[in-house]
Amino acid sequence: MSGSAGVSDGVVKKTILSNISSMKVPHMRPNKLRKILCKVTNCTWTQYQNILDAMINDGTIETRMVEGEMVILSSGQVGVNSADADDTKASSSSDTELETITEEMTIPIEIILHLTRKGRKKQKNIETNSKTKITYDAETTKITKTKQPNGVKNGTLIITKTWDPNFIPPAKNDEPELDAKEAKKEAKKVAKKQFKAAKFFIQGMLKSYQENPEHFAPKKAGGTFAEQDEAKKMKEELSKKRRKKDKNIDTDASKKKKKKRKFY
């Protein structure tokens, strides 16, 4: 079968295998390989994708998920048949050793309850922005479920950052991908930066708590008496402004009406 660009599928397949066998990195993104193939063979994107999918399905090419993205493994994994594919995937997964940074922080229980209110909205924001995971020790976890500190003043918060040291980050602006050694160094640098960001968020909340602990107290129905008084004043102020505005409109309308009057 031939592709629409006039290049045979056989040529495209051989070129794919040739590029994978000469890879100097553990794995490559399909889009990166596609750019190389389309440039070298003049095949179309559709032709490349169809051939690649067939090679993955029959076990000619081995893939795995890295940081939520599918990547093509280097030549060490090429040529496995479909019967061995599952075993290879399992061994690849178990052989990958993830690296971890973790730290426990003892902070006021009010901050932890603040983080875990409203479906852990505050906690999830920190996790999303720093790409870390926040957990708590057993005793603190119980308090987050009951929402009742029962005299406990502090809780234990645990920040964890886990990453794959063998992950090759996507190349930017068609720059060459990093080699394995550089990628490992870069991955560790990024992980430490993200871990520090999570700590920074928590330390910022701790500083805010020390300056204004009332901010971390759960909101009561209707708010505090001071908040209710403030809301009442604002409501009265708005009402006055509306009445004044309505009065001005009536006055202007009356003036215009008088000007239009004709006396015969």
Side-chain angles (χ1 to χ4, degrees):
M1 185 176 71
S2 296
S4 59
V7 183
S8 71
D9 290 354
V11 171
V12 176
K13 186 174 181 179
K14 285 179 182 178
T15 311
I16 289 174
L17 290 172
S18 175
N19 275 272
I20 291 174
S21 65
S22 61
M23 278 168 56
K24 294 180 180 179
V25 291
H27 47 72
M28 183 183 288
R29 292 174 298 118
N31 282 349
K32 179 72 174 178
L33 182 60
R34 184 201 69 206
K35 289 178 183 178
I36 296 170
L37 261 290
C38 291
K39 187 176 181 180
V40 172
T41 65
N42 227 12
C43 68
T44 64
W45 289 12
T46 304
Q47 183 183 10
Y48 160 77
Q49 193 61 56
N50 290 339
I51 295 169
L52 184 71
D53 289 343
M55 293 173 77
I56 291 171
N57 290 335
D58 67 18
T60 305
I61 291 176
E62 185 64 43
T63 63
R64 80 171 177 203
M65 297 300 293
V66 175
E67 298 277 328
E69 184 178 21
M70 188 190 79
V71 295
I72 300 167
L73 298 185
S74 62
S75 58
Q77 296 296 330
V78 173
V80 294
N81 58 40
S82 55
D84 295 332
D86 291 338
D87 292 337
T88 307
K89 287 177 184 175
S91 63
S92 296
S93 177
S94 60
D95 289 344
T96 303
E97 291 185 6
L98 300 177
E99 293 191 19
T100 303
I101 307 173
T102 185
E103 183 174 329
E104 292 186 2
M105 298 178 71
T106 301
I107 60 176
I109 198 70
E110 286 87 352
I111 295 179
I112 292 173
L113 291 175
H114 182 69
L115 283 167
T116 55
R117 279 189 203 109
K118 297 181 180 179
R120 298 178 182 261
K121 185 178 178 181
K122 297 283 185 183
Q123 177 182 319
K124 287 175 182 176
N125 283 342
I126 294 174
E127 290 175 327
T128 300
N129 291 323
S130 64
K131 295 183 179 178
T132 58
K133 185 69 179 173
I134 294 175
T135 54
Y136 310 95
D137 67 0
E139 186 179 351
T140 306
T141 300
K142 288 179 182 177
I143 294 172
T144 63
K145 290 178 179 178
T146 62
K147 309 295 182 187
Q148 299 295 327
N150 294 324
V152 177
K153 293 185 177 180
N154 296 315
T156 302
L157 176 147
I158 305 161
I159 302 174
T160 305
K161 173 61 188 175
T162 304
W163 75 98
D164 181 358
N166 298 317
F167 173 66
I168 308 295
K172 296 179 181 178
N173 300 323
D174 292 327
E175 293 178 359
E177 288 188 336
L178 300 174
D179 61 32
K181 188 176 180 181
E182 289 175 335
K184 191 171 184 178
K185 187 177 179 181
E186 182 65 20
K188 189 170 185 178
K189 180 182 175 182
V190 171
K192 283 185 174 181
K193 188 177 179 180
Q194 291 169 339
F195 181 77
K196 285 181 180 178
K199 275 189 71 176
F200 178 79
F201 284 127
I202 301 300
Q203 287 166 346
M205 294 184 81
L206 183 57
K207 184 179 178 182
S208 179
Y209 175 80
Q210 290 167 347
E211 294 173 353
N212 186 18
E214 292 81 13
H215 173 72
F216 294 83
K219 296 281 183 183
K220 295 180 180 178
T224 61
F225 289 124
E227 288 172 338
Q228 289 177 23
D229 288 340
E230 186 67 26
K232 190 176 180 181
K233 285 179 183 178
M234 286 179 68
K235 193 174 180 180
E236 288 174 354
E237 202 68 35
L238 286 170
S239 183
K240 284 180 183 178
K241 286 180 180 179
R242 283 197 202 100
R243 287 199 297 270
K244 189 175 180 181
K245 188 178 179 182
D246 292 343
K247 188 177 179 182
N248 289 336
I249 291 170
D250 291 340
T251 304
D252 291 342
S254 179
K255 285 179 180 178
K256 288 178 182 178
K257 194 173 181 182
K258 285 179 180 178
K259 284 180 181 179
K260 288 181 181 179
R261 254 184 191 174
K262 291 182 180 180
F263 298 92
Y264 299 98

